[in-house]
Amino acid sequence: MTAHFAIIGSGPSGMYAADALLEGIPDCHIDVYDRLPAPFGLIRYGVAPDHYKTKNTARQFARTLDLPNVRFFGNVEIGRDVTLDELKMLYDGVILAIGAYNDRPLGIPGEDLAGVYGACAFVGWYNGHPDYRDLNPLLDKDAVAVVGVGNVALDVCRVLAKTVAEMDDSDIAEHALAAIQKAPLKNLYMFGRRGPIEAGFTPKELGELRELERAVAFVDSKQLPDTVTGEFEGREKGVKEKNLTIFKELATHQPGTKAIDMKIEFYAAPKEILGTTRVEGIRMERTKVENGKAISTGETFDVPCGAVVKAIGYFSTAPAGVPMNGNGTIANVDGWVVDNLWVVGWSKRGPSGTIPTNGPESREVAQRVIAEYQSAPGTEKSGGDAVALLLKSRNVRSVDYPGWKKIATAEVARATGGHPQEKFTRIDEMLAVLN
Ligand code: NAP
């Protein structure tokens, strides 16, 4: 009897789960679903375009999708083209690996003004995600404020600051590169509501700010402590110390020495986004940190800017009927959701960690899926063959892995300059390659 598993979402957590299922049951059948014709989720659409080498992780996953007992169902949306209940019936186990694809709200006045973008949308726009192809962010003023001091905020500021030459070996979407280069940017702000020690940056990424051609990154030395004090887990203290050393270097940088000033400002929480129809500025409130928490001081200051990017984290939404926790993750017990439904990755634990963080966690859940299957295998399920028939009867045009490889080859062929690929940014364009 063959075991049949479905994985919904072809990003890192889903693909690590596929690898672990194959390790446990090498001859099982795995079908990986994605609502886009393109696989690899966050690797393709979340990792910064100038961190192209990070995207090499996808090579390992590509080998998995190439296996004869693994099938890719791209351009298939669960809930629209096939229901979750249908999948649960047709497979021994179904794993949700749907990420956290919504921007958290700030919950302050002015958030609905034109010119306010969540990082999910903004990053999706410069990464060529079809959902955000037409975002056309307002980059017509000389200042952009980014709220949040995590690696996503760094990515956004760095991509806005880099020159065409610096982006030459990236796979930034053509429309975004053109819009960024046209923008009259002079000031980029990154606001952290707590202090430098609490910032979510990692040293390698923070260190990149030292080397930007047209932007000088700086921080006020008065906001920096002499040393890192306090209790930290594992390697965290070392990370904080490396960050502090870099902050101290940035504090020696002189604003005004390059075309763009990039200011990292701590102890500043957003209070209101200013403007009547569009963003004209952001009102910040000075904070102090007590017991690790940002406390309001009542003192405010306004910063003129034409756009605000919220890089403050993401949350998941699940297919209808799937229980959620209040914090935007899917309710689960060690990855088990209900019946034969499981969850991995950001939709399980929330938006934290790097791509490899997902490996051990997806493996643990996959091992439970296998144990559950082996304890009560039941009758053989019809799996992907039955889904393929359903999709055909519903006129759904799914994209298989050989189909995706043709699209990917066309993206490489149409790249110019040093760009490794020029992504298609509309689903129609991708499908047209297969016509
Ligand atoms: P993050 O590191 O959690 O940063 C979120 C930031 O938003 C924090 O500074 C947080 O401040 C702030 N924030 C949250 N709510 C806020 C509010 N209401 N007002 C003001 N500030 C608020 O998350 P992220 O940058 O979105 O990144 C997600 C994960 O992906 C992280 O684990 C990150 O390291 C990873 N990532 C890695 C890379 C890389 O390795 N190159 C690149 C991108 C992302 P508080 O700390 O005070 O809550």
Side-chain angles (χ1 to χ4, degrees), residues 31-341:
D31 297 326
V32 181
Y33 292 84
D34 205 294
R35 73 184 175 93
L36 294 176
F40 310 133
L42 181 113
I43 297 179
R44 179 173 164 96
Y45 291 118
V47 170
D50 59 333
H51 284 174
Y52 194 74
K53 281 192 186 133
T54 307
K55 302 190 186 208
N56 285 341
T57 327
R59 286 189 196 158
Q60 168 193 344
F61 301 146
R63 283 193 291 274
T64 305
L65 288 181
D66 248 340
L67 294 171
N69 50 335
V70 178
R71 199 168 354 180
F72 179 58
F73 281 96
N75 203 33
V76 176
E77 187 168 332
I78 308 310
R80 180 191 66 186
D81 302 322
V82 56
T83 68
L84 188 57
D85 282 341
E86 286 169 333
L87 293 191
K88 280 168 66 187
M89 255 165 42
L90 294 169
Y91 290 90
D92 294 296
V94 177
I95 301 179
L96 294 167
I98 54 177
Y101 194 63
N102 304 275
D103 286 297
R104 272 196 201 138
L106 275 171
I108 58 171
E111 200 167 356
D112 297 335
L113 287 171
V116 181
Y117 309 102
C120 190
F122 199 81
V123 170
W125 170 71
Y126 62 58
N127 262 332
H129 194 297
D131 286 0
Y132 300 109
R133 171 64 181 86
D134 298 315
L135 186 74
N136 298 324
L138 290 174
L139 295 175
D140 54 337
K141 305 285 178 196
D142 66 9
V144 173
V146 178
V147 180
V149 284
N151 282 330
V152 171
L154 277 184
D155 283 350
V156 169
C157 282
R158 195 183 63 250
V159 168
L160 283 172
K162 278 194 170 178
T163 60
V164 170
E166 286 175 301
M167 291 305 271
D168 194 41
D169 57 357
S170 81
D171 70 341
I172 188 169
E174 210 172 17
H175 61 257
L177 185 61
I180 291 169
Q181 297 312 316
K182 223 175 80 189
L185 289 174
K186 285 195 186 136
N187 289 289
L188 292 169
Y189 301 95
M190 235 181 289
F191 290 115
R193 62 180 169 180
R194 297 190 292 158
I197 305 308
E198 289 83 16
F201 304 143
T202 41
K204 182 183 156 289
E205 283 67 27
L206 180 62
E208 288 175 49
L209 296 191
R210 295 176 295 198
E211 296 146 15
L212 298 171
E213 219 170 279
R214 66 166 180 164
V216 56
F218 60 97
V219 55
D220 184 345
S221 63
K222 291 198 281 298
Q223 296 199 320
L224 304 178
D226 290 338
T227 55
V228 177
T229 53
E231 297 288 304
F232 296 94
E233 277 176 27
R235 290 167 36 208
E236 222 188 329
K237 185 158 187 187
V239 167
K240 303 292 179 193
E241 283 169 340
K242 282 187 190 150
N243 279 353
L244 183 57
T245 304
I246 299 167
F247 286 137
K248 284 183 178 169
E249 188 180 334
L250 297 185
T252 66
H253 288 183
Q254 290 304 315
T257 48
K258 293 186 185 176
I260 297 177
D261 278 350
M262 186 191 291
K263 183 173 191 186
I264 308 177
E265 175 131 19
F266 298 107
Y267 306 107
K271 198 156 172 56
E272 183 177 350
I273 298 170
L274 307 169
T276 42
T277 54
R278 63 159 293 169
V279 175
E280 287 166 26
I282 183 163
R283 178 159 298 154
M284 305 299 300
E285 178 164 28
R286 192 55 71 207
T287 60
K288 55 185 179 177
V289 173
E290 282 175 13
N291 299 323
K293 287 215 164 87
I295 310 286
S296 308
T297 63
E299 181 196 336
T300 62
F301 59 98
D302 293 352
V303 178
C305 60
V308 171
V309 180
K310 301 176 282 182
I312 60 167
Y314 308 119
F315 68 93
S316 290
T317 41
V322 175
M324 297 290 299
N325 292 315
N327 64 357
T329 55
I330 292 173
N332 71 91
V333 180
D334 297 332
W336 176 72
V337 181
V338 62
D339 307 327
N340 59 345
L341 186 65

